Amino acid sequence: VDYKLLVTAILLQMPPPTIPETVQKFYDIIQEKLGNASKEGKHKQTWSGDSSTSKDYVTELSILKPHYKPFIWGVGTAVALFATFRVSKSTGSLRKSSKGYQFDNLQKSKSQKEKLSEASSIPVDIFLSLIVGVSSALFLTDDVKMKDDLARMPLVQGRSLISEELCADFIKEHDKIPPQVWTSKQAIESSSMQAIRAFVHNCQKRESLVDYRQKELHVLDRKDAENIPSPGVLEHLSHTGIVDASEEEEE
């Protein structure tokens, strides 16, 4: 039995992946690759401004910075709300007495049962605080602008950590997916699918220019070739005469 032919025949009979399944595959790549980069400390080396190579990533960082604020606000909201929950349960209500205004719980010793009840409410407080924090971050996030900014990241001048970590795997995964999936009505109406496709096409443009710089301009070090001069990929690519993969696909 030719198992290779058998597997190929089975795969040909399988229906193409749905839009959510396709998007999830790319999200899994993001989680894995950027998670590993974070563990290795690459984001600190490139975006912190303290290393000798960080200046090459300045343009990328300037695009990402506006998207930090909703996350910071979300974290701050969650922490503040959790602290409010815990303090209110420790102090109780503020009441007026003969000695002035005082908190209920500060005037009495708690029983073991009350202490256990208070401790058991911590997971609930954490859960509620996280929900409010995440909701705040999502409310403040400009989802469309964030996807557009990430999609054009491979076109920036200098170097791009996001492109270096994601482009190769995104292009590989993109090429596995049947063309009819990308041109389907559901894909066209999906902002995530359009952002992914735009990102892949821009990755292909960047890769074409990096290859050109390395071979034609004799830039021996790949990292030096990836450091695109100002004003960015599109301007320099237009002078090379290269027809990149994305343009061929669109034709």
Side-chain angles (χ1 to χ4, degrees), residues 19-57:
I19 300 304
E21 288 173 347
T22 302
V23 172
Q24 187 59 50
K25 288 179 182 178
F26 287 98
Y27 283 175
D28 289 342
I29 293 172
I30 293 173
Q31 189 173 14
E32 179 187 355
K33 299 297 290 187
L34 295 188
N36 290 338
S38 179
K39 289 177 184 177
E40 295 169 8
K42 289 183 180 179
H43 66 298
K44 292 181 180 178
Q45 297 171 10
T46 56
W47 295 339
S48 66
D50 299 329
S51 66
S52 58
T53 59
S54 61
K55 65 180 185 298
D56 298 333
Y57 297 86

PDB file of all heavy atoms in Angstrom, residues 19-57:
ATOM      1  N   ILE A  19     -13.665  29.323   8.481  1.00  0.00           N
ATOM      2  CA  ILE A  19     -12.988  30.583   8.797  1.00  0.00           C
ATOM      3  C   ILE A  19     -12.492  30.609  10.248  1.00  0.00           C
ATOM      4  O   ILE A  19     -11.323  30.945  10.494  1.00  0.00           O
ATOM      5  CB  ILE A  19     -13.912  31.779   8.513  1.00  0.00           C
ATOM      6  CG1 ILE A  19     -14.306  31.810   7.030  1.00  0.00           C
ATOM      7  CG2 ILE A  19     -13.239  33.082   8.915  1.00  0.00           C
ATOM      8  CD1 ILE A  19     -13.135  31.832   6.075  1.00  0.00           C
ATOM      9  N   PRO A  20     -13.327  30.242  11.250  1.00  0.00           N
ATOM     10  CA  PRO A  20     -12.820  30.227  12.635  1.00  0.00           C
ATOM     11  C   PRO A  20     -11.633  29.285  12.827  1.00  0.00           C
ATOM     12  O   PRO A  20     -10.697  29.616  13.551  1.00  0.00           O
ATOM     13  CB  PRO A  20     -14.035  29.755  13.454  1.00  0.00           C
ATOM     14  CG  PRO A  20     -15.213  30.128  12.627  1.00  0.00           C
ATOM     15  CD  PRO A  20     -14.778  29.943  11.206  1.00  0.00           C
ATOM     16  N   GLU A  21     -11.671  28.118  12.171  1.00  0.00           N
ATOM     17  CA  GLU A  21     -10.547  27.173  12.280  1.00  0.00           C
ATOM     18  C   GLU A  21      -9.279  27.779  11.678  1.00  0.00           C
ATOM     19  O   GLU A  21      -8.184  27.616  12.222  1.00  0.00           O
ATOM     20  CB  GLU A  21     -10.890  25.867  11.560  1.00  0.00           C
ATOM     21  CG  GLU A  21     -11.930  25.012  12.260  1.00  0.00           C
ATOM     22  CD  GLU A  21     -12.350  23.819  11.420  1.00  0.00           C
ATOM     23  OE1 GLU A  21     -12.019  23.794  10.211  1.00  0.00           O
ATOM     24  OE2 GLU A  21     -13.005  22.914  11.958  1.00  0.00           O
ATOM     25  N   THR A  22      -9.434  28.457  10.557  1.00  0.00           N
ATOM     26  CA  THR A  22      -8.280  29.077   9.894  1.00  0.00           C
ATOM     27  C   THR A  22      -7.678  30.171  10.762  1.00  0.00           C
ATOM     28  O   THR A  22      -6.455  30.225  10.961  1.00  0.00           O
ATOM     29  CB  THR A  22      -8.713  29.672   8.534  1.00  0.00           C
ATOM     30  OG1 THR A  22      -9.278  28.636   7.723  1.00  0.00           O
ATOM     31  CG2 THR A  22      -7.519  30.272   7.806  1.00  0.00           C
ATOM     32  N   VAL A  23      -8.533  31.045  11.268  1.00  0.00           N
ATOM     33  CA  VAL A  23      -8.052  32.138  12.128  1.00  0.00           C
ATOM     34  C   VAL A  23      -7.369  31.579  13.364  1.00  0.00           C
ATOM     35  O   VAL A  23      -6.313  32.080  13.787  1.00  0.00           O
ATOM     36  CB  VAL A  23      -9.229  33.061  12.528  1.00  0.00           C
ATOM     37  CG1 VAL A  23      -8.781  34.076  13.576  1.00  0.00           C
ATOM     38  CG2 VAL A  23      -9.783  33.782  11.307  1.00  0.00           C
ATOM     39  N   GLN A  24      -7.925  30.514  13.944  1.00  0.00           N
ATOM     40  CA  GLN A  24      -7.357  29.921  15.153  1.00  0.00           C
ATOM     41  C   GLN A  24      -5.949  29.387  14.906  1.00  0.00           C
ATOM     42  O   GLN A  24      -5.077  29.485  15.778  1.00  0.00           O
ATOM     43  CB  GLN A  24      -8.262  28.793  15.668  1.00  0.00           C
ATOM     44  CG  GLN A  24      -7.835  28.226  17.010  1.00  0.00           C
ATOM     45  CD  GLN A  24      -7.812  29.270  18.108  1.00  0.00           C
ATOM     46  OE1 GLN A  24      -8.787  29.997  18.289  1.00  0.00           O
ATOM     47  NE2 GLN A  24      -6.719  29.366  18.828  1.00  0.00           N
ATOM     48  N   LYS A  25      -5.710  28.827  13.721  1.00  0.00           N
ATOM     49  CA  LYS A  25      -4.372  28.314  13.396  1.00  0.00           C
ATOM     50  C   LYS A  25      -3.331  29.429  13.446  1.00  0.00           C
ATOM     51  O   LYS A  25      -2.221  29.237  13.945  1.00  0.00           O
ATOM     52  CB  LYS A  25      -4.390  27.664  12.006  1.00  0.00           C
ATOM     53  CG  LYS A  25      -5.122  26.336  11.946  1.00  0.00           C
ATOM     54  CD  LYS A  25      -5.120  25.776  10.540  1.00  0.00           C
ATOM     55  CE  LYS A  25      -5.889  24.459  10.477  1.00  0.00           C
ATOM     56  NZ  LYS A  25      -5.943  23.925   9.085  1.00  0.00           N
ATOM     57  N   PHE A  26      -3.703  30.586  12.920  1.00  0.00           N
ATOM     58  CA  PHE A  26      -2.771  31.717  12.933  1.00  0.00           C
ATOM     59  C   PHE A  26      -2.614  32.286  14.343  1.00  0.00           C
ATOM     60  O   PHE A  26      -1.516  32.698  14.728  1.00  0.00           O
ATOM     61  CB  PHE A  26      -3.247  32.792  11.954  1.00  0.00           C
ATOM     62  CG  PHE A  26      -3.055  32.421  10.510  1.00  0.00           C
ATOM     63  CD1 PHE A  26      -4.099  31.899   9.769  1.00  0.00           C
ATOM     64  CD2 PHE A  26      -1.815  32.571   9.897  1.00  0.00           C
ATOM     65  CE1 PHE A  26      -3.926  31.547   8.436  1.00  0.00           C
ATOM     66  CE2 PHE A  26      -1.626  32.223   8.566  1.00  0.00           C
ATOM     67  CZ  PHE A  26      -2.690  31.707   7.834  1.00  0.00           C
ATOM     68  N   TYR A  27      -3.692  32.306  15.104  1.00  0.00           N
ATOM     69  CA  TYR A  27      -3.599  32.764  16.490  1.00  0.00           C
ATOM     70  C   TYR A  27      -2.704  31.834  17.310  1.00  0.00           C
ATOM     71  O   TYR A  27      -1.972  32.290  18.203  1.00  0.00           O
ATOM     72  CB  TYR A  27      -4.991  32.849  17.119  1.00  0.00           C
ATOM     73  CG  TYR A  27      -5.788  34.058  16.702  1.00  0.00           C
ATOM     74  CD1 TYR A  27      -7.112  34.234  17.097  1.00  0.00           C
ATOM     75  CD2 TYR A  27      -5.230  35.048  15.895  1.00  0.00           C
ATOM     76  CE1 TYR A  27      -7.851  35.349  16.710  1.00  0.00           C
ATOM     77  CE2 TYR A  27      -5.951  36.160  15.500  1.00  0.00           C
ATOM     78  CZ  TYR A  27      -7.255  36.305  15.914  1.00  0.00           C
ATOM     79  OH  TYR A  27      -7.975  37.418  15.522  1.00  0.00           O
ATOM     80  N   ASP A  28      -2.762  30.542  17.017  1.00  0.00           N
ATOM     81  CA  ASP A  28      -1.899  29.579  17.711  1.00  0.00           C
ATOM     82  C   ASP A  28      -0.423  29.856  17.407  1.00  0.00           C
ATOM     83  O   ASP A  28       0.440  29.729  18.286  1.00  0.00           O
ATOM     84  CB  ASP A  28      -2.248  28.145  17.300  1.00  0.00           C
ATOM     85  CG  ASP A  28      -3.592  27.681  17.857  1.00  0.00           C
ATOM     86  OD1 ASP A  28      -4.080  28.315  18.808  1.00  0.00           O
ATOM     87  OD2 ASP A  28      -4.142  26.695  17.345  1.00  0.00           O
ATOM     88  N   ILE A  29      -0.148  30.225  16.161  1.00  0.00           N
ATOM     89  CA  ILE A  29       1.227  30.569  15.773  1.00  0.00           C
ATOM     90  C   ILE A  29       1.696  31.800  16.541  1.00  0.00           C
ATOM     91  O   ILE A  29       2.822  31.841  17.058  1.00  0.00           O
ATOM     92  CB  ILE A  29       1.319  30.822  14.249  1.00  0.00           C
ATOM     93  CG1 ILE A  29       1.073  29.526  13.477  1.00  0.00           C
ATOM     94  CG2 ILE A  29       2.697  31.392  13.882  1.00  0.00           C
ATOM     95  CD1 ILE A  29       0.963  29.729  11.976  1.00  0.00           C
ATOM     96  N   ILE A  30       0.822  32.800  16.627  1.00  0.00           N
ATOM     97  CA  ILE A  30       1.161  34.020  17.366  1.00  0.00           C
ATOM     98  C   ILE A  30       1.479  33.703  18.815  1.00  0.00           C
ATOM     99  O   ILE A  30       2.489  34.160  19.370  1.00  0.00           O
ATOM    100  CB  ILE A  30      -0.006  35.030  17.297  1.00  0.00           C
ATOM    101  CG1 ILE A  30      -0.189  35.528  15.871  1.00  0.00           C
ATOM    102  CG2 ILE A  30       0.236  36.210  18.241  1.00  0.00           C
ATOM    103  CD1 ILE A  30      -1.410  36.396  15.669  1.00  0.00           C
ATOM    104  N   GLN A  31       0.610  32.898  19.436  1.00  0.00           N
ATOM    105  CA  GLN A  31       0.786  32.548  20.842  1.00  0.00           C
ATOM    106  C   GLN A  31       2.091  31.795  21.068  1.00  0.00           C
ATOM    107  O   GLN A  31       2.833  32.077  22.021  1.00  0.00           O
ATOM    108  CB  GLN A  31      -0.399  31.706  21.314  1.00  0.00           C
ATOM    109  CG  GLN A  31      -0.427  31.457  22.813  1.00  0.00           C
ATOM    110  CD  GLN A  31      -1.696  30.767  23.257  1.00  0.00           C
ATOM    111  OE1 GLN A  31      -2.453  30.251  22.455  1.00  0.00           O
ATOM    112  NE2 GLN A  31      -1.935  30.743  24.562  1.00  0.00           N
ATOM    113  N   GLU A  32       2.381  30.859  20.180  1.00  0.00           N
ATOM    114  CA  GLU A  32       3.593  30.049  20.345  1.00  0.00           C
ATOM    115  C   GLU A  32       4.863  30.859  20.087  1.00  0.00           C
ATOM    116  O   GLU A  32       5.772  30.890  20.919  1.00  0.00           O
ATOM    117  CB  GLU A  32       3.556  28.853  19.389  1.00  0.00           C
ATOM    118  CG  GLU A  32       4.798  27.977  19.473  1.00  0.00           C
ATOM    119  CD  GLU A  32       4.837  26.889  18.415  1.00  0.00           C
ATOM    120  OE1 GLU A  32       3.853  26.743  17.664  1.00  0.00           O
ATOM    121  OE2 GLU A  32       5.871  26.195  18.326  1.00  0.00           O
ATOM    122  N   LYS A  33       4.914  31.551  18.943  1.00  0.00           N
ATOM    123  CA  LYS A  33       6.138  32.235  18.544  1.00  0.00           C
ATOM    124  C   LYS A  33       6.445  33.448  19.429  1.00  0.00           C
ATOM    125  O   LYS A  33       7.584  33.624  19.881  1.00  0.00           O
ATOM    126  CB  LYS A  33       6.032  32.673  17.082  1.00  0.00           C
ATOM    127  CG  LYS A  33       5.855  31.532  16.104  1.00  0.00           C
ATOM    128  CD  LYS A  33       7.042  30.586  16.083  1.00  0.00           C
ATOM    129  CE  LYS A  33       8.256  31.216  15.478  1.00  0.00           C
ATOM    130  NZ  LYS A  33       9.374  30.260  15.287  1.00  0.00           N
ATOM    131  N   LEU A  34       5.432  34.276  19.690  1.00  0.00           N
ATOM    132  CA  LEU A  34       5.672  35.452  20.528  1.00  0.00           C
ATOM    133  C   LEU A  34       5.830  35.056  21.991  1.00  0.00           C
ATOM    134  O   LEU A  34       6.538  35.730  22.746  1.00  0.00           O
ATOM    135  CB  LEU A  34       4.542  36.468  20.365  1.00  0.00           C
ATOM    136  CG  LEU A  34       4.406  37.093  18.973  1.00  0.00           C
ATOM    137  CD1 LEU A  34       3.391  38.218  18.985  1.00  0.00           C
ATOM    138  CD2 LEU A  34       5.754  37.605  18.461  1.00  0.00           C
ATOM    139  N   GLY A  35       5.182  33.949  22.389  1.00  0.00           N
ATOM    140  CA  GLY A  35       5.374  33.435  23.748  1.00  0.00           C
ATOM    141  C   GLY A  35       6.809  32.998  23.961  1.00  0.00           C
ATOM    142  O   GLY A  35       7.425  33.309  24.987  1.00  0.00           O
ATOM    143  N   ASN A  36       7.358  32.283  22.977  1.00  0.00           N
ATOM    144  CA  ASN A  36       8.754  31.835  23.058  1.00  0.00           C
ATOM    145  C   ASN A  36       9.718  33.024  23.020  1.00  0.00           C
ATOM    146  O   ASN A  36      10.722  33.042  23.740  1.00  0.00           O
ATOM    147  CB  ASN A  36       9.072  30.876  21.901  1.00  0.00           C
ATOM    148  CG  ASN A  36       8.375  29.543  22.049  1.00  0.00           C
ATOM    149  OD1 ASN A  36       7.979  29.141  23.153  1.00  0.00           O
ATOM    150  ND2 ASN A  36       8.212  28.818  20.967  1.00  0.00           N
ATOM    151  N   ALA A  37       9.393  34.014  22.184  1.00  0.00           N
ATOM    152  CA  ALA A  37      10.250  35.206  22.106  1.00  0.00           C
ATOM    153  C   ALA A  37      10.265  35.948  23.438  1.00  0.00           C
ATOM    154  O   ALA A  37      11.304  36.454  23.871  1.00  0.00           O
ATOM    155  CB  ALA A  37       9.744  36.130  20.994  1.00  0.00           C
ATOM    156  N   SER A  38       9.108  35.982  24.102  1.00  0.00           N
ATOM    157  CA  SER A  38       9.021  36.645  25.405  1.00  0.00           C
ATOM    158  C   SER A  38       9.833  35.883  26.456  1.00  0.00           C
ATOM    159  O   SER A  38      10.541  36.492  27.269  1.00  0.00           O
ATOM    160  CB  SER A  38       7.555  36.740  25.836  1.00  0.00           C
ATOM    161  OG  SER A  38       7.443  37.356  27.094  1.00  0.00           O
ATOM    162  N   LYS A  39       9.736  34.556  26.438  1.00  0.00           N
ATOM    163  CA  LYS A  39      10.496  33.742  27.388  1.00  0.00           C
ATOM    164  C   LYS A  39      12.000  33.929  27.203  1.00  0.00           C
ATOM    165  O   LYS A  39      12.765  33.914  28.170  1.00  0.00           O
ATOM    166  CB  LYS A  39      10.138  32.261  27.219  1.00  0.00           C
ATOM    167  CG  LYS A  39       8.748  31.899  27.703  1.00  0.00           C
ATOM    168  CD  LYS A  39       8.445  30.433  27.437  1.00  0.00           C
ATOM    169  CE  LYS A  39       7.018  30.073  27.839  1.00  0.00           C
ATOM    170  NZ  LYS A  39       6.685  28.663  27.513  1.00  0.00           N
ATOM    171  N   GLU A  40      12.414  34.091  25.963  1.00  0.00           N
ATOM    172  CA  GLU A  40      13.839  34.263  25.659  1.00  0.00           C
ATOM    173  C   GLU A  40      14.307  35.703  25.866  1.00  0.00           C
ATOM    174  O   GLU A  40      15.491  36.000  25.714  1.00  0.00           O
ATOM    175  CB  GLU A  40      14.104  33.841  24.207  1.00  0.00           C
ATOM    176  CG  GLU A  40      13.869  32.346  23.964  1.00  0.00           C
ATOM    177  CD  GLU A  40      13.886  31.999  22.489  1.00  0.00           C
ATOM    178  OE1 GLU A  40      14.238  32.888  21.666  1.00  0.00           O
ATOM    179  OE2 GLU A  40      13.540  30.852  22.140  1.00  0.00           O
ATOM    180  N   GLY A  41      13.356  36.592  26.193  1.00  0.00           N
ATOM    181  CA  GLY A  41      13.714  37.980  26.460  1.00  0.00           C
ATOM    182  C   GLY A  41      13.975  38.819  25.228  1.00  0.00           C
ATOM    183  O   GLY A  41      14.550  39.913  25.323  1.00  0.00           O
ATOM    184  N   LYS A  42      13.525  38.343  24.061  1.00  0.00           N
ATOM    185  CA  LYS A  42      13.784  39.084  22.817  1.00  0.00           C
ATOM    186  C   LYS A  42      13.074  40.437  22.807  1.00  0.00           C
ATOM    187  O   LYS A  42      13.602  41.419  22.274  1.00  0.00           O
ATOM    188  CB  LYS A  42      13.339  38.257  21.608  1.00  0.00           C
ATOM    189  CG  LYS A  42      14.209  37.050  21.319  1.00  0.00           C
ATOM    190  CD  LYS A  42      13.730  36.326  20.068  1.00  0.00           C
ATOM    191  CE  LYS A  42      14.599  35.105  19.773  1.00  0.00           C
ATOM    192  NZ  LYS A  42      14.124  34.373  18.569  1.00  0.00           N
ATOM    193  N   HIS A  43      11.855  40.478  23.382  1.00  0.00           N
ATOM    194  CA  HIS A  43      11.107  41.738  23.379  1.00  0.00           C
ATOM    195  C   HIS A  43      11.811  42.807  24.205  1.00  0.00           C
ATOM    196  O   HIS A  43      11.745  43.994  23.892  1.00  0.00           O
ATOM    197  CB  HIS A  43       9.680  41.509  23.884  1.00  0.00           C
ATOM    198  CG  HIS A  43       9.590  41.096  25.321  1.00  0.00           C
ATOM    199  ND1 HIS A  43      10.146  39.927  25.795  1.00  0.00           N
ATOM    200  CD2 HIS A  43       9.024  41.707  26.399  1.00  0.00           C
ATOM    201  CE1 HIS A  43       9.913  39.836  27.095  1.00  0.00           C
ATOM    202  NE2 HIS A  43       9.242  40.890  27.482  1.00  0.00           N
ATOM    203  N   LYS A  44      12.508  42.386  25.270  1.00  0.00           N
ATOM    204  CA  LYS A  44      13.247  43.347  26.090  1.00  0.00           C
ATOM    205  C   LYS A  44      14.477  43.864  25.339  1.00  0.00           C
ATOM    206  O   LYS A  44      14.824  45.043  25.420  1.00  0.00           O
ATOM    207  CB  LYS A  44      13.658  42.705  27.408  1.00  0.00           C
ATOM    208  CG  LYS A  44      12.490  42.393  28.332  1.00  0.00           C
ATOM    209  CD  LYS A  44      12.975  41.778  29.633  1.00  0.00           C
ATOM    210  CE  LYS A  44      11.804  41.469  30.565  1.00  0.00           C
ATOM    211  NZ  LYS A  44      12.250  40.827  31.819  1.00  0.00           N
ATOM    212  N   GLN A  45      15.138  42.955  24.630  1.00  0.00           N
ATOM    213  CA  GLN A  45      16.334  43.339  23.885  1.00  0.00           C
ATOM    214  C   GLN A  45      16.007  44.301  22.749  1.00  0.00           C
ATOM    215  O   GLN A  45      16.791  45.187  22.428  1.00  0.00           O
ATOM    216  CB  GLN A  45      17.009  42.096  23.311  1.00  0.00           C
ATOM    217  CG  GLN A  45      17.524  41.117  24.362  1.00  0.00           C
ATOM    218  CD  GLN A  45      17.982  39.806  23.750  1.00  0.00           C
ATOM    219  OE1 GLN A  45      18.097  39.683  22.530  1.00  0.00           O
ATOM    220  NE2 GLN A  45      18.235  38.812  24.582  1.00  0.00           N
ATOM    221  N   THR A  46      14.833  44.119  22.139  1.00  0.00           N
ATOM    222  CA  THR A  46      14.503  44.902  20.946  1.00  0.00           C
ATOM    223  C   THR A  46      13.660  46.143  21.231  1.00  0.00           C
ATOM    224  O   THR A  46      13.788  47.152  20.534  1.00  0.00           O
ATOM    225  CB  THR A  46      13.760  44.030  19.923  1.00  0.00           C
ATOM    226  OG1 THR A  46      12.589  43.464  20.548  1.00  0.00           O
ATOM    227  CG2 THR A  46      14.645  42.897  19.442  1.00  0.00           C
ATOM    228  N   TRP A  47      12.780  46.078  22.226  1.00  0.00           N
ATOM    229  CA  TRP A  47      11.840  47.181  22.463  1.00  0.00           C
ATOM    230  C   TRP A  47      12.123  48.001  23.712  1.00  0.00           C
ATOM    231  O   TRP A  47      11.481  49.026  23.934  1.00  0.00           O
ATOM    232  CB  TRP A  47      10.409  46.635  22.567  1.00  0.00           C
ATOM    233  CG  TRP A  47       9.903  46.027  21.301  1.00  0.00           C
ATOM    234  CD1 TRP A  47      10.370  46.240  20.028  1.00  0.00           C
ATOM    235  CD2 TRP A  47       8.816  45.107  21.157  1.00  0.00           C
ATOM    236  NE1 TRP A  47       9.652  45.503  19.113  1.00  0.00           N
ATOM    237  CE2 TRP A  47       8.689  44.804  19.778  1.00  0.00           C
ATOM    238  CE3 TRP A  47       7.935  44.508  22.064  1.00  0.00           C
ATOM    239  CZ2 TRP A  47       7.716  43.925  19.295  1.00  0.00           C
ATOM    240  CZ3 TRP A  47       6.967  43.635  21.578  1.00  0.00           C
ATOM    241  CH2 TRP A  47       6.857  43.350  20.208  1.00  0.00           C
ATOM    242  N   SER A  48      13.096  47.577  24.530  1.00  0.00           N
ATOM    243  CA  SER A  48      13.333  48.277  25.796  1.00  0.00           C
ATOM    244  C   SER A  48      14.077  49.590  25.616  1.00  0.00           C
ATOM    245  O   SER A  48      13.981  50.491  26.437  1.00  0.00           O
ATOM    246  CB  SER A  48      14.128  47.377  26.754  1.00  0.00           C
ATOM    247  OG  SER A  48      15.431  47.154  26.251  1.00  0.00           O
ATOM    248  N   GLY A  49      14.861  49.693  24.562  1.00  0.00           N
ATOM    249  CA  GLY A  49      15.655  50.901  24.348  1.00  0.00           C
ATOM    250  C   GLY A  49      16.986  50.870  25.062  1.00  0.00           C
ATOM    251  O   GLY A  49      17.761  51.813  24.985  1.00  0.00           O
ATOM    252  N   ASP A  50      17.277  49.755  25.760  1.00  0.00           N
ATOM    253  CA  ASP A  50      18.519  49.670  26.531  1.00  0.00           C
ATOM    254  C   ASP A  50      19.624  48.928  25.793  1.00  0.00           C
ATOM    255  O   ASP A  50      20.774  48.970  26.192  1.00  0.00           O
ATOM    256  CB  ASP A  50      18.262  48.961  27.874  1.00  0.00           C
ATOM    257  CG  ASP A  50      17.246  49.718  28.721  1.00  0.00           C
ATOM    258  OD1 ASP A  50      17.216  50.952  28.601  1.00  0.00           O
ATOM    259  OD2 ASP A  50      16.504  49.072  29.470  1.00  0.00           O
ATOM    260  N   SER A  51      19.277  48.203  24.721  1.00  0.00           N
ATOM    261  CA  SER A  51      20.284  47.403  24.027  1.00  0.00           C
ATOM    262  C   SER A  51      20.780  48.126  22.783  1.00  0.00           C
ATOM    263  O   SER A  51      20.151  49.070  22.292  1.00  0.00           O
ATOM    264  CB  SER A  51      19.701  46.040  23.632  1.00  0.00           C
ATOM    265  OG  SER A  51      18.680  46.204  22.673  1.00  0.00           O
ATOM    266  N   SER A  52      21.902  47.651  22.243  1.00  0.00           N
ATOM    267  CA  SER A  52      22.502  48.291  21.069  1.00  0.00           C
ATOM    268  C   SER A  52      21.655  48.076  19.815  1.00  0.00           C
ATOM    269  O   SER A  52      21.745  48.853  18.867  1.00  0.00           O
ATOM    270  CB  SER A  52      23.912  47.731  20.849  1.00  0.00           C
ATOM    271  OG  SER A  52      23.871  46.315  20.683  1.00  0.00           O
ATOM    272  N   THR A  53      20.830  47.019  19.799  1.00  0.00           N
ATOM    273  CA  THR A  53      20.015  46.727  18.614  1.00  0.00           C
ATOM    274  C   THR A  53      18.632  47.365  18.674  1.00  0.00           C
ATOM    275  O   THR A  53      17.912  47.378  17.681  1.00  0.00           O
ATOM    276  CB  THR A  53      19.842  45.204  18.446  1.00  0.00           C
ATOM    277  OG1 THR A  53      19.210  44.673  19.619  1.00  0.00           O
ATOM    278  CG2 THR A  53      21.176  44.513  18.234  1.00  0.00           C
ATOM    279  N   SER A  54      18.235  47.899  19.826  1.00  0.00           N
ATOM    280  CA  SER A  54      16.873  48.412  19.986  1.00  0.00           C
ATOM    281  C   SER A  54      16.568  49.574  19.039  1.00  0.00           C
ATOM    282  O   SER A  54      15.422  49.773  18.648  1.00  0.00           O
ATOM    283  CB  SER A  54      16.618  48.833  21.432  1.00  0.00           C
ATOM    284  OG  SER A  54      17.502  49.874  21.811  1.00  0.00           O
ATOM    285  N   LYS A  55      17.603  50.329  18.652  1.00  0.00           N
ATOM    286  CA  LYS A  55      17.372  51.467  17.750  1.00  0.00           C
ATOM    287  C   LYS A  55      16.864  51.005  16.389  1.00  0.00           C
ATOM    288  O   LYS A  55      16.209  51.778  15.668  1.00  0.00           O
ATOM    289  CB  LYS A  55      18.656  52.279  17.590  1.00  0.00           C
ATOM    290  CG  LYS A  55      19.794  51.556  16.905  1.00  0.00           C
ATOM    291  CD  LYS A  55      21.025  52.435  16.803  1.00  0.00           C
ATOM    292  CE  LYS A  55      22.143  51.764  16.018  1.00  0.00           C
ATOM    293  NZ  LYS A  55      22.604  50.517  16.676  1.00  0.00           N
ATOM    294  N   ASP A  56      17.154  49.758  16.025  1.00  0.00           N
ATOM    295  CA  ASP A  56      16.686  49.232  14.739  1.00  0.00           C
ATOM    296  C   ASP A  56      15.192  48.937  14.746  1.00  0.00           C
ATOM    297  O   ASP A  56      14.591  48.748  13.685  1.00  0.00           O
ATOM    298  CB  ASP A  56      17.455  47.941  14.381  1.00  0.00           C
ATOM    299  CG  ASP A  56      18.950  48.178  14.224  1.00  0.00           C
ATOM    300  OD1 ASP A  56      19.329  49.319  13.884  1.00  0.00           O
ATOM    301  OD2 ASP A  56      19.727  47.232  14.443  1.00  0.00           O
ATOM    302  N   TYR A  57      14.592  48.887  15.943  1.00  0.00           N
ATOM    303  CA  TYR A  57      13.174  48.523  16.074  1.00  0.00           C
ATOM    304  C   TYR A  57      12.306  49.719  16.491  1.00  0.00           C
ATOM    305  O   TYR A  57      11.153  49.536  16.883  1.00  0.00           O
ATOM    306  CB  TYR A  57      13.010  47.401  17.099  1.00  0.00           C
ATOM    307  CG  TYR A  57      13.683  46.106  16.720  1.00  0.00           C
ATOM    308  CD1 TYR A  57      15.032  45.879  17.012  1.00  0.00           C
ATOM    309  CD2 TYR A  57      12.976  45.092  16.074  1.00  0.00           C
ATOM    310  CE1 TYR A  57      15.647  44.688  16.663  1.00  0.00           C
ATOM    311  CE2 TYR A  57      13.584  43.902  15.728  1.00  0.00           C
ATOM    312  CZ  TYR A  57      14.928  43.705  16.021  1.00  0.00           C
ATOM    313  OH  TYR A  57      15.535  42.520  15.675  1.00  0.00           O
TER     314      TYR A  57
END
